[in-house]
Amino acid sequence: MKMPCRPRHIRILVTGGTGFVGRHLVSALIASIPGSEVVVLSRGHCIAPTGVRFHKCDLRDFDAIDAVVSTYRPDVVVHLAAQTSVAQSINNGFNTWTINFVSTLALARAIANHAATASFLFASTSEVYGLSFKDGVAYEHTLPRPNNVYARTKLAAEEMLNDVLPSTVQLVVARPSNHSGPGQDERFVIPSFASQVAKIEQGNIEPIVRVGDLTPMRDFLHVADVVAAYISIIKSAQKLPAVSTFNISSGQGRAISDVLNILHKLSIRPFEVEVDLSRLRLTDVPSAITDSAALTNATGWRPKHTFEGMVDDVFAFQRERQMAG
């Protein structure tokens, strides 16, 4: 009698697993990849969910991360840990370079030393295309021309990984577009607007939403679709090349003002909009849209959530927070 095949046990190391995307990803990994052991690294304390092992580690400490990787010897590494706010990076260059580049270098060296046959999924960003967005939709072969600190650190880390990781490590660079969802903090545009509207509904602030430039077109995704893309890459690892880069996007641009249009419809109280000069970014490009056909062709992934549904989910989360006090 032929015995049924059991799923291969794989150990997945996730950095930044307690962050916005990380929390969604860790839950999805447990549900989507049976037989996996998920190890989460974070600088802070965390109560790990069932089936997840938590390890406190500062990735900027080369010796500490080397010891962790030596202990767990992961089969798959998902490197999410980063300073991800473009606005915050502008006046905080040293910390942004330390977190986004130095930490990645420390992790790469540890992987080279102790997990030289692992698959390494690096969460970069579509921001690396920068000024090239002025030429139209960006593809994986589009020349990166980053125009902010955050994007420069991510592109530098991409290039470094190609030099530091041995050829036996499979490297996948993911360049997701803007993404949002429940739990994202208010440094980012959609939860910022949603939080203000939720506070207006509760009567906690005057009925004015303060905004930056509403004209740029951006390619938005629900965080659940980005997580699904990462999982599709992990599941397809065996058929992917030794080094690959994938955009993760909807392929469609939406004006920032569209977020407010949806919130106007969802809110039970009317509100006005006022431009706050401190929220304007001089480095913005008018449109930032990428093509993700390569990822679809390689893994079958496609986004499932609508832009409207994403804004609704973020607003529902912010409403719940305000109602809870």
Side-chain angles (χ1 to χ4, degrees):
M1 176 185 294
K2 185 177 181 179
M3 299 298 292
C5 293
R6 295 184 178 181
R8 185 175 73 90
H9 175 85
I10 62 172
R11 181 168 287 167
I12 305 173
L13 181 70
V14 181
T15 73
T18 60
F20 165 57
V21 177
R23 293 192 302 271
H24 290 273
L25 176 63
V26 167
S27 297
L29 286 171
I30 295 299
S32 303
I33 306 182
S36 62
E37 177 186 355
V38 179
V39 180
V40 171
L41 301 188
S42 177
R43 285 184 293 168
H45 292 284
C46 172
I47 299 176
T50 303
V52 175
R53 183 175 296 183
F54 173 78
H55 194 106
K56 185 178 180 181
C57 179
D58 189 332
L59 289 180
R60 295 170 296 185
D61 185 331
F62 277 67
D63 291 336
I65 188 60
D66 191 80
V68 169
V69 174
S70 175
T71 298
Y72 293 112
R73 299 185 183 274
D75 303 294
V76 176
V77 178
V78 184
H79 184 34
L80 302 177
Q83 195 293 101
T84 58
S85 169
V86 173
Q88 186 173 331
S89 72
I90 292 172
N91 296 314
N92 201 12
F94 179 81
N95 284 338
T96 302
W97 273 96
T98 301
I99 295 169
N100 292 0
F101 183 82
V102 175
S103 295
T104 306
L105 176 61
L107 179 61
R109 189 189 74 161
I111 296 300
N113 288 341
H114 306 295
T117 59
S119 294
F120 192 110
L121 172 55
F122 176 58
S124 186
T125 173
S126 63
E127 287 274 348
V128 299
Y129 296 114
L131 296 176
S132 288
F133 280 125
K134 293 184 177 181
D135 300 326
V137 175
Y139 300 82
E140 287 83 357
H141 62 265
T142 298
L143 177 68
R145 296 168 64 198
N147 64 333
N148 59 61
V149 178
Y150 168 62
R152 285 191 288 272
T153 63
K154 283 294 191 176
L155 181 60
E158 288 185 20
E159 295 173 345
M160 174 274 296
L161 287 170
N162 277 286
D163 290 337
V164 175
L165 292 176
S167 60
T168 51
V169 171
Q170 181 185 50
L171 173 62
V172 181
V173 173
R175 293 174 175 169
S177 64
N178 299 68
H179 44 286
S180 190
Q184 188 177 36
D185 72 53
E186 296 170 27
R187 292 175 300 168
F188 299 89
V189 62
I190 296 178
S192 172
F193 292 175
S195 173
Q196 291 180 71
V197 175
K199 290 174 182 177
I200 290 169
E201 286 190 336
Q202 293 297 307
N204 294 332
I205 62 172
E206 59 182 332
I208 299 175
V209 175
R210 290 175 169 78
V211 304
D213 187 358
L214 298 178
T215 60
M217 301 286 288
R218 294 293 181 263
D219 192 330
F220 286 101
L221 279 177
H222 197 295
V223 65
D225 283 325
V226 174
V227 164
Y230 291 159
I231 290 177
S232 74
I233 290 170
I234 293 171
K235 288 184 173 181
S236 302
Q238 291 184 344
K239 63 180 183 181
L240 296 178
V243 178
S244 53
T245 299
F246 294 112
N247 293 334
I248 303 175
S249 66
S250 70
Q252 300 179 349
R254 302 295 296 258
I256 303 297
S257 59
D258 289 346
V259 177
L260 285 171
N261 294 337
I262 296 171
L263 290 172
H264 270 295
K265 295 176 182 178
L266 295 173
S267 177
I268 61 175
R269 291 191 62 187
F271 58 85
E272 300 296 323
V273 174
E274 182 178 290
V275 174
D276 179 350
L277 295 180
S278 69
R279 296 171 182 259
L280 296 176
R281 278 171 43 196
L282 298 178
T283 58
D284 270 343
V285 293
S287 179
I289 302 168
T290 66
D291 180 277
S292 59
L295 179 62
T296 299
N297 293 337
T299 70
W301 173 87
R302 294 180 187 276
K304 296 181 179 179
H305 295 75
T306 65
F307 176 76
E308 292 77 10
M310 177 189 62
V311 176
D312 194 352
D313 283 351
V314 175
F315 186 43
F317 176 84
Q318 292 294 339
R319 262 181 170 165
E320 186 176 335
R321 285 188 64 193
Q322 293 303 316
M323 292 176 67

